[in-house]
């Protein structure tokens, strides 16, 4: 077997793009990341590939395992066609340990995440925990019966008054990166990127959702956030349904998002909008 570490994101993109596209919705995060890196247009925060870890494990020129880590975010893994090759996974783990690659955590399809966590923690003699059990959903048609509440608009400069607080509260519950504290620069980035939508009800901001990644046939959504005071009023449903409709109207075939399986409310909301499960995913933290 061959373990290859890439320094050039364009080379990595060339070798892994078709592999990851076999499960486009499932690979929303790693595929979306290498598309961003290959384009090189956006280097804000983690999007600059200079600090990325990119690697593959191949057998007879066939890629068996693809790995991407964009610090401070955790390692993402994909077993080609979801066929987990134990020998390739063990080989990968041995190689990253020998190379002193620091892995604070990992996220992938549930079976692969379980397998990697057990093997890696055993090899390193460390403990691990599941920071979040997730489900990946995709949608091809918005349920027309979802009530339209308020007005959906792009974020604007005046939203800087509350947006850093909303983003920080969301990050406190995000499994794949540590909270950063109030970050006005990041909030301004979200505003100027023209991807973040705010739902207003009678002129009051009540919910938000962001177009996260532009893929080939799909588009990702996240973060989705409604302040606690405004929850239970249908705002999240209206906001996500609205942004999903915008994505489909732009010609994408599907919208994709992640949910926390410990939150039955959000999972129920998304399914009512028209989202259907793709697979389950785990976010793993190593102690």
């Amino acid at each position: 077997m061959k373990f290859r570490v890439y320094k050039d994101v364009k080379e990595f993109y060339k070798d892994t793009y078709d592999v990851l596209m076999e499960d486009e919705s499932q690979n929303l995060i790693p595929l979306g990341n290498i598309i961003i890196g290959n384009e090189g247009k956006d280097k804000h925060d983690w999007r600059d590939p200079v600090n990325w870890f990119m690697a593959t494990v191949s057998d007879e020129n066939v890629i068996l395992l693809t790995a991407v880590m964009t610090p401070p975010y955790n390692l993402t893994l994909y077993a080609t066609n979801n066929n987990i090759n134990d020998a390739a996974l063990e080989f990968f783990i041995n190689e990253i340990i020998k190379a002193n690659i620091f892995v604070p955590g990992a996220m992938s399809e549930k079976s692969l995440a379980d397998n990697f966590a057990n093997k890696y923690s055993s090899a390193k003699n460390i403990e691990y925990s599941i920071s979040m059990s997730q489900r990946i959903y995709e949608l091809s048609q918005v349920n027309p019966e979802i009530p339209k509440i308020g007005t959906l608009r792009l974020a604007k400069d005046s939203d800087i008054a509350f947006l850093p607080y909303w983003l920080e509260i969301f990050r406190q519950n995000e499994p794949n990166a540590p909270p950063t504290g109030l970050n006005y620069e990041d909030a301004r980035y979200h505003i100027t990127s023209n991807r973040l939508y705010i739902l207003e009800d009678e002129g009051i901001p009540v919910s938000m959702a962001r177009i996260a990644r532009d893929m080939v046939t799909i588009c990702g959504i996240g973060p989705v956030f409604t302040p606690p005071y405004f929850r239970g009023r249908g705002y999240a449903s209206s906001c996500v349904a609205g942004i999903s409709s915008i994505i489909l109207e732009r010609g994408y075939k599907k919208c994709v998002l992640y949910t926390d399986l410990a939150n039955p409310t959000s999972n129920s909301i998304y399914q009512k909008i028209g989202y259907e499960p793709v697979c389950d995913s785990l976010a793993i933290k190593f102690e």
Side-chain angles (χ1 to χ4, degrees):
M1 287 188 183
K2 179 181 179 182
F3 173 70
R4 180 178 179 186
V5 175
Y6 295 75
K7 297 299 183 182
D8 184 348
V9 68
K10 292 187 179 296
E11 282 293 316
F12 185 69
Y13 173 90
K14 183 182 69 175
D15 287 353
T16 63
Y17 175 81
D18 289 340
V19 174
L20 294 172
M21 277 294 294
E22 291 294 326
D23 290 289
E24 187 180 6
S25 293
Q26 177 184 325
N27 288 319
L28 171 70
I29 291 177
L31 184 57
N33 288 349
I34 68 168
I35 290 173
I36 290 172
N38 182 64
E39 290 177 345
K41 299 175 183 177
D42 185 353
K43 295 186 178 181
H44 174 76
D45 198 15
W46 58 267
R47 297 168 185 83
D48 188 346
V50 67
N51 294 318
W52 292 7
F53 169 70
M54 302 168 284
T56 57
V57 174
S58 303
D59 182 13
E60 298 177 353
N61 297 319
V62 176
I63 291 177
L64 303 174
L65 186 70
T66 302
V68 189
M69 184 162 57
T70 59
Y73 291 89
N74 292 336
L75 182 72
T76 58
L77 295 168
Y78 174 64
T80 303
N81 295 321
N82 287 311
N83 293 323
I84 301 173
N85 185 307
D86 283 336
L89 191 58
E90 290 170 0
F91 180 64
F92 171 76
I93 289 169
N94 289 334
E95 291 297 317
I96 62 174
I97 291 175
K98 284 196 298 184
N100 290 319
I101 302 299
F102 175 63
V103 180
M107 186 168 68
S108 74
E109 181 275 328
K110 185 176 185 293
S111 297
L112 179 58
D114 270 331
N115 206 329
F116 175 75
N118 284 315
K119 286 180 167 61
Y120 183 75
S121 61
S122 177
K124 292 275 289 184
N125 194 27
I126 58 176
E127 300 293 325
Y128 75 91
S129 60
I130 298 173
S131 52
M132 187 177 288
S133 294
Q134 302 168 299
R135 182 160 290 161
I136 304 174
Y137 286 91
E138 63 181 17
L139 169 146
S140 56
Q141 184 175 356
V142 176
N143 180 0
E145 296 181 0
I146 298 297
K148 295 181 180 180
I149 306 173
T151 303
L152 192 63
R153 62 163 176 82
L154 280 169
K156 56 187 179 182
D157 289 343
S158 60
D159 294 333
I160 199 68
F162 64 86
L163 191 55
Y165 298 90
W166 285 20
L167 290 170
E168 173 57 14
I169 295 171
F170 175 84
R171 287 193 191 101
Q172 288 174 0
N173 296 300
E174 187 181 20
N176 205 24
T180 59
L182 290 180
N183 191 327
Y184 286 86
E185 180 185 349
D186 190 51
R188 290 189 182 94
Y189 167 80
H190 282 293
I191 292 170
T192 58
S193 66
N194 292 321
R195 290 173 173 268
L196 184 66
Y197 285 79
I198 305 294
L199 181 69
E200 286 185 342
D201 189 13
E202 297 183 356
I204 300 173
V206 294
S207 188
M208 73 174 185
R210 183 176 185 266
I211 298 177
R213 287 168 172 82
D214 301 279
M215 313 282 268
V216 180
T217 68
I218 69 172
C219 201
I221 296 176
V224 176
F225 177 75
T226 302
Y229 178 78
F230 294 116
R231 292 174 187 171
R233 308 186 192 186
Y235 292 139
S237 296
S238 183
C239 186
V240 173
I243 197 172
S244 300
S245 295
I246 290 171
I247 289 171
L248 295 177
E249 288 167 2
R250 291 180 179 177
Y252 292 96
K253 294 181 180 179
K254 294 178 181 178
C255 310
V256 176
L257 50 75
Y258 279 71
T259 67
D260 179 359
L261 283 175
N263 187 338
T265 300
S266 63
N267 282 270
S268 175
I269 285 173
Y270 296 139
Q271 290 181 74
K272 289 176 181 176
I273 293 171
Y275 280 88
E276 299 179 349
V278 175
C279 70
D280 286 355
S281 171
L282 289 181
I284 302 291
K285 178 182 178 182
F286 295 107
E287 305 299 338

